[in-house]
Amino acid sequence: MITLNATYVKNLGDFIAGYSRRDLDSERMDIKDGVSGDRYLNAALVTSLESESDDPHVAPLHRSLKSRHLQMIAIGGIIGPGLLVGSGNALHLAGPAGILISFSLVGIIVFFVMQSLGELATLIPVTGSFTEYAERFVDPSLAFALGWAYWYLWVTVLVNEYNAVSIVILYWTDVVPQWAWILVFWVLFLAISTLGVLAFGEIEFWLSLIKILSITVFFILAIIITAGGIGGKPIGFKYWDSPGAFADGINGVANTFVIAGTLYAGTEMVGITAGETANPHRSVPLAIRQVFYRIVVFYVGMMFFIGILIPYDEPQLLAAGSRTAASPLTISLSKAGLAPAASLINALIVLAVISSGNSSLYVSSRTMVFLARSGKAPRILARTNRRGVPWAALIFSNLIACIAFLSIGSGAGTVYSALITLSGVATFIVWGTIELVHIRFRQALRAQGQSVDTLPFKAAFYPYGTYAALVANIFLIFFQGYTAFLYPFSSSNFVINYILLPVFVIMLLLWKLIKRTKFVKASDMDIWTGRREIEDETDSIHGKTGNNLVRRVKNIVVG
């Protein structure tokens, strides 16, 4: 390793800090063997790149998130209307056994994706996350296409949240028009996001905790209802016999893969938040290890219980007048005779929308900041204020989310639905790319003579799990829409399921041709920029040591 005295480190760090990130990326600062044999600077030196800057275009985002924030953001951001309402559509399409199969298989993929991302984000915690990794480890053109696709994915999720919360509010009162409620929450989300990352983390922590506790209560009620303690008669697995365990055989399972991918989307949010985490060497591995299990429990558990409580041909899943009425939670509790269920579920959905809406705006803005700072988007979108808030990217992303108003008009509603559906396959593209950059990162370690034993977190089951997840994501990208080819051929479904693929490839090729980018060789990959020194962090929850059972349970539940 490089052995330098403190004065040299400081002087060289100040020298490097004078460069902008974009200039350094182009020049690479390829310091070679003359000092001590290492190809690049020591990680402790490279952290000087992120020193405070007066230029709002390159000023770093603040690193205020703690371990508990990171874990709750990762799980809370994806427990939204998709799980509370969209799971009913999945049940109708595949049946109780079908959704268990599709969500379990996608959950296994999520495990390996999270392991790969954990290895990268723990070592190189940057806000650009896997989009930046794609630029440094594969090709800048891949980062361009991936970054814009990922930004679009989260903007459409945000649009969906605006539409959902406005409809839910109308369940209680129709005095205020729908467009007005969209505008109210548009301002609310933007206001929360501009408070700073620590305020955002605290709000998200408590909202996520409420959602987790509410779903846990639902699971308990589901067990009681199934046993006959509520509703008068035991249900058991009677709906698995009639109408059956599968709604449409393998076709039903295939149709729900994209739903599962969409609902699981957000697990990779850990990589984005790592760049604003105080101690990623400690927080990211904890989040990776615990968040996956919580997500599988809540998602697979939800599919299991609604499959027991509701038949897949339940009329309310098909002909509900509103999205709220179509929530399987509302239907199951109402069928059991719990009259206040609808209002309670409405309140939970509102909290879920606020939480996931905040997360959507957070991720989309941070992705845009990377694109702007790396020259792949207008530079003005990279600006931050003194609190480290990327206000320009926040406003831009929220303005584009105004396509939510299209859902109000009768004719424009079709356009709105298409825009939302088109983003579904983007999840599998993102996950597949994470596995690709992980494979390339390991190749760079070998080419540059670095040992994997020095990594603060190593992905489990590498290389088998990583390669298997890459192949699985590529397979699902094409398999998820195969029902469009069944007789009669559906041209509209074909376009919706596959149009993002040629768009993604065209964006990649255009950027490659315009910028004349080159595939990055393993020996030339920058595997040093963005590393931080291992810090001694005292977290309000994890900072205590010991084997106290209550504390250990608390760590698992709230991080």
Side-chain angles (χ1 to χ4, degrees):
M1 297 299 293
I2 298 177
T3 304
L4 301 170
N5 61 47
T7 302
Y8 183 81
V9 171
K10 181 181 183 302
N11 292 339
L12 187 54
D14 292 341
F15 169 73
I16 296 174
Y19 283 83
S20 71
R21 182 68 168 273
R22 188 177 173 187
D23 292 334
L24 267 177
D25 281 348
S26 62
E27 295 177 19
R28 284 297 182 194
M29 293 296 293
D30 195 7
I31 298 176
K32 298 194 177 183
D33 305 334
V35 177
S36 65
D38 273 358
R39 184 173 180 82
Y40 293 98
L41 286 171
N42 180 276
L45 249 177
V46 178
T47 57
S48 298
L49 284 170
E50 298 181 348
S51 299
E52 294 293 335
S53 172
D54 293 331
D55 187 350
H57 295 93
V58 298
L61 305 178
H62 288 188
R63 298 166 179 169
S64 305
L65 294 178
K66 304 298 183 182
S67 177
R68 62 189 181 91
H69 298 140
L70 189 66
Q71 295 177 66
M72 281 299 182
I73 288 172
I75 187 171
I78 63 172
I79 297 180
L83 178 63
L84 303 178
V85 180
S87 54
N89 184 39
L91 175 62
H92 165 65
L93 291 173
I99 56 174
L100 278 180
I101 292 173
S102 60
F103 276 78
S104 296
L105 290 177
V106 175
I108 294 173
I109 295 175
V110 170
F111 171 79
F112 291 116
V113 170
M114 294 293 284
Q115 289 291 311
S116 297
L117 184 59
E119 180 173 306
L120 295 167
T122 302
L123 183 68
I124 310 174
V126 290
T127 302
S129 191
F130 42 84
T131 307
E132 181 167 344
Y133 304 149
E135 176 171 351
R136 289 160 59 172
F137 304 157
V138 185
D139 192 308
S141 61
L142 176 61
F144 174 76
L146 179 68
W148 279 101
Y150 194 60
W151 172 83
Y152 172 74
L153 167 64
W154 280 103
V155 167
T156 53
V157 171
L158 180 60
V159 170
N160 202 30
E161 309 302 3
Y162 284 135
N163 185 52
V165 73
S166 62
I167 292 176
V168 170
I169 296 295
L170 290 177
Y171 179 87
W172 287 309
T173 176
D174 57 358
V175 175
V176 180
Q178 183 181 355
W179 65 265
W181 286 117
I182 294 177
L183 187 59
V184 167
F185 282 92
W186 190 94
V187 174
L188 177 64
F189 289 171
L190 186 61
I192 292 175
S193 298
T194 54
L195 291 176
V197 68
L198 182 58
F200 162 78
E202 282 296 329
I203 294 172
E204 189 62 25
F205 174 84
W206 292 108
L207 289 177
S208 298
L209 184 59
I210 292 173
K211 290 189 291 185
I212 290 172
L213 293 176
S214 300
I215 293 177
T216 302
V217 170
F218 171 75
F219 287 172
I220 296 173
L221 290 175
I223 294 173
I224 298 174
I225 294 171
T226 302
I230 299 177
K233 297 180 180 180
I235 298 176
F237 286 83
K238 73 174 186 178
Y239 295 131
W240 285 56
D241 294 327
S242 177
F246 293 91
D248 191 21
I250 186 63
N251 294 337
V253 176
N255 282 328
T256 54
F257 273 125
V258 70
I259 297 177
T262 302
L263 297 189
Y264 275 120
T267 52
E268 71 286 338
M269 197 185 303
V270 172
I272 304 293
T273 55
E276 294 180 77
T277 302
N279 187 358
H281 293 95
R282 189 158 168 267
S283 301
V284 173
L286 283 171
I288 294 296
R289 293 188 183 103
Q290 294 184 10
V291 167
F292 167 77
Y293 297 108
R294 296 182 201 171
I295 290 173
V296 170
V297 167
F298 287 119
Y299 271 73
V300 177
M302 178 69 75
M303 300 306 120
F304 174 75
F305 283 117
I306 66 173
I308 290 178
L309 298 176
I310 310 171
Y312 68 76
D313 59 355
E314 168 64 42
Q316 287 181 303
L317 292 176
L318 307 176
S322 72
R323 290 186 53 177
T324 306
S327 169
L329 283 74
T330 302
I331 296 172
S332 58
L333 296 181
S334 298
K335 287 170 68 70
L338 298 177
S343 291
L344 292 175
I345 296 302
N346 268 7
L348 178 59
I349 292 177
V350 170
L351 291 178
V353 168
I354 294 175
S355 174
S356 53
N358 285 335
S359 297
S360 301
L361 193 53
Y362 174 90
V363 176
S364 59
S365 63
R366 269 57 180 183
T367 303
M368 184 52 62
V369 166
F370 167 75
L371 291 173
R373 291 187 174 182
S374 58
K376 299 175 181 64
R379 191 165 184 261
I380 190 175
L381 298 178
R383 295 181 65 92
T384 59
N385 59 23
R386 292 182 179 179
R387 294 192 300 272
V389 177
W391 60 269
L394 283 170
I395 294 175
F396 174 72
S397 299
N398 216 19
L399 282 173
I400 301 301
C402 286
I403 58 177
F405 291 105
L406 290 176
S407 63
I408 300 174
S410 56
T414 303
V415 178
Y416 164 82
S417 299
L419 289 172
I420 298 299
T421 308
L422 285 175
S423 65
V425 74
T427 303
F428 298 124
I429 294 177
V430 170
W431 291 351
T433 304
I434 290 174
E435 300 294 34
L436 175 62
V437 297
H438 182 214
I439 292 169
R440 294 286 295 154
F441 170 73
R442 285 296 188 99
Q443 292 173 350
L445 289 181
R446 289 195 299 270
Q448 298 181 26
Q450 302 297 316
S451 173
V452 296
D453 294 331
T454 62
L455 298 176
F457 177 85
K458 289 186 288 186
F461 305 109
Y462 183 89
Y464 308 106
T466 304
Y467 278 93
L470 174 60
V471 172
N473 279 295
I474 294 174
F475 172 76
L476 289 176
I477 287 173
F478 295 96
F479 180 72
Q480 50 84 25
Y482 92 95
T483 53
F485 296 95
L486 301 180
Y487 183 83
F489 174 76
S490 175
S491 57
S492 60
N493 287 342
F494 173 79
V495 171
I496 289 174
N497 288 327
Y498 293 107
I499 188 62
L500 188 61
L501 296 180
V503 170
F504 184 85
V505 173
I506 290 172
M507 292 179 67
L508 187 152
L509 293 178
L510 282 178
W511 191 257
K512 192 168 185 65
L513 291 173
I514 294 173
K515 297 295 182 178
R516 299 185 182 277
T517 63
K518 295 182 179 180
F519 183 77
V520 183
K521 297 179 180 179
S523 57
D524 295 332
M525 290 183 196
D526 178 7
I527 59 175
W528 299 100
T529 302
R531 295 193 187 191
R532 300 190 211 164
E533 291 182 278
I534 298 179
E535 302 169 3
D536 183 18
E537 177 195 59
T538 300
D539 191 275
S540 59
I541 290 178
H542 284 291
K544 300 179 181 179
T545 60
N547 294 322
N548 184 281
L549 179 60
V550 175
R551 185 176 298 127
R552 293 173 66 184
V553 172
K554 186 178 181 182
N555 288 346
I556 294 174
V557 175
V558 299

